[in-house]
Amino acid sequence: MKKYAFNEITTWQYIFLIFTSEIGIGVLPFPANVARYAGTDNWISVILGWALITAGSLFIIQAMKHYPDGTLLDLLTNYWGKWAGMAGAIVVALYFAFFSYVVFSRTVIYVKAWLLPQTSELLLVVLLIIPFWLIARSGVRVLGRFAEFVVLICCWMPLIFIYVLGDAEWLHLLPVLKEGWEPVVKGTPEMVFTFLGFEMTFVLYPFLQKKNRAAIGVITGNTLALLVYLLLDFTCLVFYSPDEISQYNEPVISLLKVVEFPFIERFEIVFLALYLLLIALTWIPFTFCSVYSTSWMLGKQDHRPHLIVFLLLLVGSYCFYQPTFRANNKMIDWMGKFGAGFAVVFPLLLWMLVAAADRYRRTAS
């Protein structure tokens, strides 16, 4: 019997978990962030970032195929012993815990700035972790179902940006590569961070029902995210002037101010309120991956006690320190550098080491 058979997810749930984790927090600020490096050619940086993370995704799948019934932690233990698995569990737990904290704190900042400016950060944290607990406590299968539900009720959102294109100035895109390839290449690392989320495959892989579709699933999830990013990027580039776009922290939200309906006065507020569901599908699965790793270290099947500890630490941290927008941006910069190594470079090295270990075992036998 499969070790994770009781909590398996379908291919579409796998795709939606990857897709929603990638478009969670990075969608709102990315056009301005990448435009600071590549200007109106930043859409090329988006495509290059997609190519890098797709390559990293496929290396993860190739490495996990060598131990299909286990997570990255089981793979490390099987090939290099208990201490390698423990070391991997510590790194994975810290990585996903920090990533979850960064995204969660950004969520609190968004809610405070756009939706509930008169509410204290600590109260917002308490309100947000209630649905957080209800979803994350139930395991991967419930996360997959939640991802399907969120995609279903949010699939209309890209159509709004097509509506905004009625005020577009397409000449902003010309000429292409006006300053050469160097600015485009410099903007690519920013997109690598924006696409982060697919590295959950290290933990989700053994839960997938049909593992022969894992590569197709991760490519599909990455490509869906690419299409969303390209739509938003082109919309912002042709809506704002080349000098204006970099002056906004969240240009995607700011351009929605031109959208008017007779029955809604502040449409951007309604949009952001619903978009919080997509953001939740970044930090909730990341938190699950973190507490799963700590539970694995202690040989526990139930991750809920560790989840309770994580939530208590999260609330406690806000009693002493409440990150500002600038501080959160610095955290994002650190996370982007570490995430690029963990999600792009490490999968390649892992696949090479596992392949070499298998070849050595066959030779020795």
Side-chain angles (χ1 to χ4, degrees), residues 3 73-74 77 85-86 89 292-300:
K3 182 178 178 182
L73 314 180
D74 301 309
T77 302
M86 289 292 183
Y292 169 87
S293 300
T294 57
S295 301
W296 184 93
M297 281 192 292
L298 298 179
K300 303 294 184 181

Side-chain angles (χ1 to χ4, degrees), residues 141 150 295 307 353:
R141 180 172 293 178
V150 171
S295 301
L307 179 61
L353 290 172

Side-chain angles (χ1 to χ4, degrees), residues 104 124-134 283 311-312 314-315:
F104 181 83
L124 291 177
V125 170
V126 174
L127 292 175
L128 287 171
I129 66 173
I130 293 175
F132 184 162
W133 159 255
L134 294 175
W283 49 271
L311 296 180
L312 291 176
L314 188 62
V315 175

